[in-house]
Amino acid sequence: MSRLVTIDDALSLADHIVAKRKDVLNAKINRYPKSAFTCSDINECDRYMIHSLLDWDKRELHDTGLQAIFDAGNKEEESVKNRLGYELGLEFVEAQTPFEIKNRSGETIARGKIDGKILWNGKAIPIEIKSMNENSFNMLNSLEDFNKKPLYRKYLRQMQLYLYGNNQEAGLFILSNFRTEKLILVTLDYGECEYVLSRLERLWEMKKKGIYPEANYQPHLCDRCPFASLCLGDVINKPADLINNELLEEKLQRREELKPLKDEYDEIDEEVKATFKSIPHAFVGTSFEIIGTERSRTSVDAKAMPDDLRKQYEKKSTFWVSKIKKL
Ligand code: SF4
């Protein structure tokens, strides 16, 4: 007869699993020296790019939750390859193909890799597999959609640099929601490549001279930046005031509780609006009416300006940064 399992036995097993899992994830979290920019991590902040090379050893380590997501992404990459390979008979070659980007002086200024290539009609089609949650998966339906968030814009730059560096006209993103795949064609965009390359060359020269561009606080980048304490140190590390105010504390607590809902709202809002793009008038069931209009606005494409011209129009303004961290 098997021995009686008590609540304590079950709880002790649960505690063991949680602690061990954390240990396993923690063991994978590390920093690595970087001698050139990484094509999959071309951040929109110039200062981040310099920190990433000169201060790689001070980069804030990510947490176990994010490591678990990275692990799941790596496993999913293999699953996608198996699904397409074994089930559809497609052949993947050159897995994790490395590539380098050199500047005019022949120095390697960036390194990257893509997930591999699929042999098709005697040619090897470049493939990059990205796994993501359901909301993101539903939101990304065209290359344009990749421009909606900093993370997806990084995916675009990575693929563009690969195509450029390897003299290829096109490749495919394979997006996965961990169940099925969505294929998105990527075509070489020379204009975008030239812009990214000249930016990398400029940043490379700054890195060689140890010059950091000025910090420009942008919440969508800085709030998740692993160099924030280094970069915004003055803001974050000043001796703190102690404020005893229960109402304020309650509001901060409520703010934390609402944050995931706001993030979910933003994702769903984008996804829903993308669905109704180009639809002037629609009803959804009996509960919703959607009215769409095309509007235009004129703006200056600062990216297209030569650096020296853009500098003439730069203006400095001051702002206050409140970075709120739950203890
Ligand atoms: S904290 Fe902000 S300004 Fe500083 S490096 Fe990071 S993204 Fe750039």
Side-chain angles (χ1 to χ4, degrees):
M1 205 172 73
S2 63
R3 292 171 60 201
L4 174 72
V5 174
T6 65
I7 293 172
D8 280 350
D9 292 330
L11 285 178
S12 103
L13 172 62
D15 287 346
H16 173 78
I17 291 173
V18 170
K20 274 282 167 199
R21 177 88 173 110
K22 213 169 167 190
D23 287 349
V24 168
L25 290 167
N26 266 324
K28 297 180 192 168
I29 301 172
N30 229 324
R31 305 176 180 94
Y32 299 96
K34 273 206 331 180
S35 57
F37 297 120
T38 305
C39 292
S40 58
D41 188 28
I42 298 184
N43 194 289
E44 280 151 44
C45 170
D46 283 356
R47 191 170 164 101
Y48 173 101
M49 296 297 283
I50 303 295
H51 277 308
S52 74
L53 293 187
L54 297 182
D55 303 306
W56 63 267
D57 54 334
K58 300 183 193 82
R59 183 186 181 103
E60 197 178 301
L61 292 173
H62 55 268
D63 61 14
T64 49
L66 193 53
Q67 185 58 44
I69 292 175
F70 291 155
D71 284 1
N74 290 337
K75 282 195 193 117
E76 182 56 13
E77 183 188 322
E78 287 312 309
S79 302
V80 169
K81 285 181 179 172
N82 286 338
R83 291 204 288 271
L84 300 186
Y86 295 132
E87 293 172 17
L88 306 189
L90 294 169
E91 192 178 345
F92 274 88
V93 293
E94 300 179 43
Q96 298 299 322
T97 318
F99 65 97
E100 288 185 347
I101 303 288
K102 294 186 190 291
N103 64 6
R104 276 156 233 189
S105 321
E107 295 168 302
T108 300
I109 61 172
R111 290 194 182 88
K113 53 189 180 180
I114 60 155
D115 292 331
K117 297 175 181 177
I118 293 180
L119 290 184
W120 184 244
N121 288 339
K123 294 183 179 175
I125 315 286
I127 299 294
E128 180 63 24
I129 300 166
K130 301 288 186 197
S131 54
M132 55 193 63
N133 65 36
E134 194 67 25
N135 285 340
S136 303
F137 184 80
N138 290 336
M139 190 180 82
L140 295 174
N141 294 301
S142 68
L143 274 195
E144 261 178 37
D145 293 336
F146 280 74
N147 283 311
K148 288 178 180 165
K149 285 195 172 178
L151 176 64
Y152 309 141
R153 292 196 284 272
K154 276 194 196 178
Y155 294 169
L156 272 185
R157 288 181 210 116
Q158 176 192 9
M159 193 62 154
Q160 284 296 338
L161 285 178
Y162 176 80
L163 294 177
Y164 186 92
N166 288 276
N167 213 13
Q168 300 288 346
E169 265 179 29
L172 288 175
F173 274 130
I174 301 185
L175 310 186
S176 164
N177 61 355
F178 293 85
R179 288 191 306 281
T180 186
E181 301 82 35
K182 184 186 280 183
L183 305 172
I184 297 193
L185 172 72
V186 191
T187 51
L188 178 62
D189 177 341
Y190 279 105
E192 176 65 11
C193 285
E194 289 294 347
Y195 173 73
V196 176
L197 288 173
S198 72
R199 181 172 168 237
L200 290 182
E201 287 194 21
R202 174 173 56 79
L203 291 171
W204 181 255
E205 293 309 312
M206 292 177 84
K207 171 251 165 192
K208 287 204 298 193
K209 293 177 192 148
I211 298 172
Y212 291 82
E214 226 168 277
N216 175 18
Y217 180 72
Q218 302 172 77
H220 66 291
L221 295 177
C222 302
D223 288 354
R224 293 176 186 194
C225 176
F227 298 108
S229 13
L230 196 61
C231 169
L232 305 172
D234 286 351
V235 176
I236 294 169
N237 297 329
K238 270 192 184 152
D241 288 335
L242 185 59
I243 299 169
N244 276 319
N245 181 327
E246 267 184 40
L247 189 61
L248 186 58
E249 200 170 351
E250 270 171 29
K251 284 194 176 156
L252 286 165
Q253 187 59 42
R254 186 66 187 137
R255 179 184 174 277
E256 283 302 310
E257 289 162 7
L258 291 173
K259 198 166 179 297
L261 290 179
K262 185 201 173 277
D263 291 346
E264 189 183 344
Y265 171 86
D266 288 344
E267 284 206 8
I268 292 180
D269 186 53
E270 272 188 41
E271 184 190 330
V272 167
K273 285 181 178 158
T275 307
F276 290 102
K277 199 174 164 199
S278 307
I279 298 178
H281 197 186
F283 289 95
V284 179
T286 51
S287 320
F288 295 96
E289 179 181 13
I290 291 99
I291 298 169
T293 46
E294 188 172 72
R295 300 188 188 170
S296 63
R297 67 167 171 244
T298 307
S299 59
V300 175
D301 183 1
K303 263 165 75 175
M305 281 182 173
D307 283 352
D308 48 348
L309 184 60
R310 191 170 51 233
K311 279 212 165 352
Q312 292 173 32
Y313 293 94
E314 277 175 3
K315 83 172 182 193
K316 195 168 179 175
S317 53
T318 54
F319 53 90
W320 189 259
V321 179
S322 292
K323 212 170 152 51
I324 298 172
K325 191 170 163 187
K326 174 113 172 72
L327 302 177

